[in-house]
Amino acid sequence: MKQFVQLTLLASTLGLLPTSLACTNEEDCGLNGICSHNTCICDPGWTGNDCGRLDLRPGPRANGYNLTEEGTSSWCNQILQDRLNKDLYHLIVSEFTHGCGLDYWSPFSRIIRAESTTGPLGPYTFKQDIAPSFAHNPTVIWSETDQKYLMYNIGCPQNVPSTCQNVNFTCGPGNTLNGESGISLWSSPDLYNWTSHGQIMPGTNNNAWDADITNPAPLHLSSHHKTRNSHPQTILAYRGCPYNCSGAEQINLAIASVSTGPYTRLHPDSPIFPFPSEDPFIWEDKRGNYHMLVHSLLADAGFGDGPNVGRHAFARSWAGPWTFNNASVAFTTRVVFEDGFVVDYFRRERPSLFFSGDGEMRPVLLSTGVQEVGGMGSYSLIQPIGDGKGI
Ligand SMILES: *[C@@H]1O[C@H](CO)[C@@H](O)[C@H](O)[C@H]1NC(C)=O
Ligand SMILES: *[C@@H]1O[C@H](CO)[C@@H](O)[C@H](O)[C@H]1NC(C)=O
Ligand SMILES: *[C@@H]1O[C@H](CO)[C@@H](O)[C@H](O)[C@H]1NC(C)=O
Ligand SMILES: *[C@@H]1O[C@H](CO)[C@@H](O)[C@H](O)[C@H]1NC(C)=O
Ligand SMILES: *[C@@H]1O[C@H](CO)[C@@H](O)[C@H](O)[C@H]1NC(C)=O
């Protein structure tokens, strides 16, 4: 017995065992695992005492979409496997025209498609324009109901200046400074041929906490929910803030019975959790629980320096209550590469996950937009996620 205790202490000191044995239910494990004998057994891809940390692994430096060498910056990347050719991967990403850096995302951002034939990590090569400037924040899902890909994004077409500068314009209610407010929808049968459906959820010209809406992140409920009539087809997570974004940025959900809307705010008077954040990414796990990754705007994160930029939130029902895990950090600004190279990024935002294709919803890759300290350019970084069992 004494020997066991000493071994346990040693293992715990070495970080081989959880240091506190504190769970009583699955909520204590962030719904990212089960609680067994007061210890969280995390699902593959998640780690830490409360399964609140992504099990990020060193990956290759040649990954994602990094065109900063030739002067092109990008942001907001999302990976999709081709439905017909399983060896082909698409990256839907926003990049900035005229060689403009991240400070000029508005109005220079446009949405493009890039391809990789060397696996989902990339590197990806530019293939086509999808939406011209100003278009930003693409998030794409395959809709079984529509039998189409749906792309949710922000923006409206603008004649951009010939040199990098900010201009004041609006894409509708909620913001007259940089056109960020209002969510648009595009559809495509194949990711190649896109049709615009215009703005499907505008902001508002009132004093609502979320008059200015951006950062769309859609979720279509999986087929097992469809038998229950009360469920909406589309759930849309978004970031709200007061008019002209003159106050706290927080997360809310909107729901619609058809993908083209109308979309109704789930909580008209308050966000789904009281923690400042943006860039939500939402998914449903194999147990039917709901999860979000967000870019945290708490004091130890925000726009630059970080380091605790990535946070996780979870709920048993999409309607909530949602719990924001403010104890653990899902990912930080530090990235270790497989050659030992370490980068502490200035900004690391816009998280999205690429899941295993076996229905287990195991996160296998983390996509983020990154900007280096002192760097004007930004690029799309993709990092592998391990099986959660440690190295
Ligand atoms: C991205 O490209 C820039 C410019 O070539 C380079 O300095 C940077 O190290 C690259 N990032 C990675 C992760 O290799
Ligand atoms: C235009 O927008 C910028 C931010 O993009 C802001 O700093 C500036 O005050 C705005 N100018 C006017 C005239 O509203
Ligand atoms: C693209 O889609 C539109 C609308 O579905 C269709 O009319 C058009 O023929 C398609 N174009 C190509 C090149 O496939
Ligand atoms: C938003 O900003 C614009 C440009 O500075 C200003 O004219 C307008 O009054 C602002 N609106 C609100 C509601 O703050
Ligand atoms: C997390 O949030 C709760 C509720 O707001 C608060 O009571 C607690 O002190 C916070 N914990 C940390 C580590 O920030």
Side-chain angles (χ1 to χ4, degrees):
M1 183 62 190
K2 188 165 173 243
Q3 222 171 12
F4 172 77
V5 169
Q6 278 172 347
L7 275 175
T8 308
L9 270 177
L10 180 65
S12 146
T13 312
L14 292 173
L16 298 175
L17 283 179
T19 45
S20 67
L21 305 172
C23 68
T24 56
N25 56 36
E26 287 180 2
E27 273 75 3
D28 294 339
C29 311
L31 301 180
N32 270 335
I34 56 163
C35 179
S36 172
H37 304 290
N38 299 112
T39 304
C40 289
I41 314 286
C42 301
D43 294 335
W46 295 93
T47 188
N49 292 347
D50 60 2
C51 309
R53 196 166 83 234
L54 280 169
D55 183 28
L56 290 165
R57 298 300 177 87
R61 286 170 68 179
N63 71 77
Y65 189 68
N66 182 359
L67 269 58
T68 51
E69 179 77 22
E70 56 190 73
T72 298
S73 288
S74 63
W75 207 240
C76 321
N77 76 96
Q78 189 196 347
I79 304 164
L80 294 146
Q81 186 176 32
D82 195 274
R83 286 168 55 78
L84 302 175
N85 176 0
K86 299 292 180 198
D87 295 328
L88 177 63
Y89 294 88
H90 305 268
L91 200 70
I92 307 294
V93 54
S94 37
E95 67 174 22
F96 316 138
T97 64
H98 296 71
C100 299
L102 185 58
D103 289 349
Y104 306 102
W105 62 276
S106 167
F108 291 94
S109 182
R110 63 172 183 167
I111 298 170
I112 64 111
R113 185 180 62 82
E115 283 181 5
S116 163
T117 50
T118 54
L121 254 169
Y124 287 80
T125 309
F126 175 88
K127 286 293 168 186
Q128 72 172 106
D129 295 339
I130 297 177
S133 307
F134 167 63
H136 193 63
N137 274 189
T139 316
V140 180
I141 54 167
W142 169 256
S143 168
E144 283 295 337
T145 312
D146 300 286
Q147 286 294 301
K148 283 197 173 103
Y149 289 96
L150 301 177
M151 180 174 84
Y152 292 76
N153 67 288
I154 62 163
C156 54
Q158 296 292 310
N159 291 317
V160 298
S162 54
T163 56
C164 303
Q165 56 188 281
N166 294 120
V167 290
N168 296 127
F169 68 101
T170 183
C171 288
N175 188 300
T176 47
L177 295 179
N178 62 12
E180 74 175 11
S181 182
I183 292 162
S184 297
L185 180 72
W186 294 69
S187 66
S188 170
D190 51 15
L191 296 171
Y192 299 88
N193 183 6
W194 291 90
T195 304
S196 171
H197 300 279
Q199 209 172 71
I200 46 107
M201 188 179 173
T204 53
N205 278 333
N206 57 20
N207 59 5
W209 73 268
D210 59 350
D212 176 324
I213 64 163
T214 181
N215 298 161
L219 175 70
H220 277 203
L221 293 176
S222 59
S223 47
H224 66 267
H225 290 292
K226 292 208 182 106
T227 51
R228 289 186 254 158
N229 293 331
S230 58
H231 281 289
Q233 185 206 318
T234 307
I235 295 168
L236 188 64
Y238 67 91
R239 181 282 267 154
C241 53
Y243 202 102
N244 284 346
C245 213
S246 55
E249 301 183 33
Q250 298 180 91
I251 308 299
N252 197 13
L253 299 174
I255 53 177
S257 53
V258 292
S259 52
T260 46
Y263 284 80
T264 310
R265 287 158 159 79
L266 188 62
H267 293 285
D269 303 324
S270 59
I272 52 170
F273 43 75
F275 293 90
S277 25
E278 60 154 14
D279 296 351
F281 175 78
I282 185 171
W283 73 98
E284 181 183 351
D285 71 17
K286 62 182 176 186
R287 298 188 190 92
N289 296 317
Y290 297 85
H291 299 265
M292 261 185 218
L293 278 179
V294 298
H295 170 221
S296 168
L297 300 177
L298 290 170
D300 61 356
F303 303 101
D305 298 327
N308 296 332
V309 285
R311 295 284 185 166
H312 173 239
F314 54 92
R316 291 233 181 232
S317 161
W318 54 267
W322 283 85
T323 304
F324 177 97
N325 185 343
N326 63 336
S328 293
V329 177
F331 64 91
T332 69
T333 46
R334 169 162 290 201
V335 177
V336 179
F337 293 89
E338 62 188 9
D339 60 1
F341 190 65
V342 179
V343 181
D344 288 303
Y345 285 100
F346 180 60
R347 293 175 69 165
R348 189 181 196 199
E349 304 170 17
R350 290 295 303 174
S352 72
L353 294 172
F354 181 71
F355 296 97
S356 58
D358 57 5
E360 289 293 297
M361 291 303 283
R362 182 167 66 85
V364 291
L365 296 171
L366 172 67
S367 285
T368 47
V370 292
Q371 184 180 33
E372 293 179 10
V373 176
M376 288 301 291
S378 61
Y379 53 93
S380 304
L381 181 87
I382 300 174
Q383 188 175 4
I385 298 169
D387 60 9
K389 294 191 167 58
I391 297 170

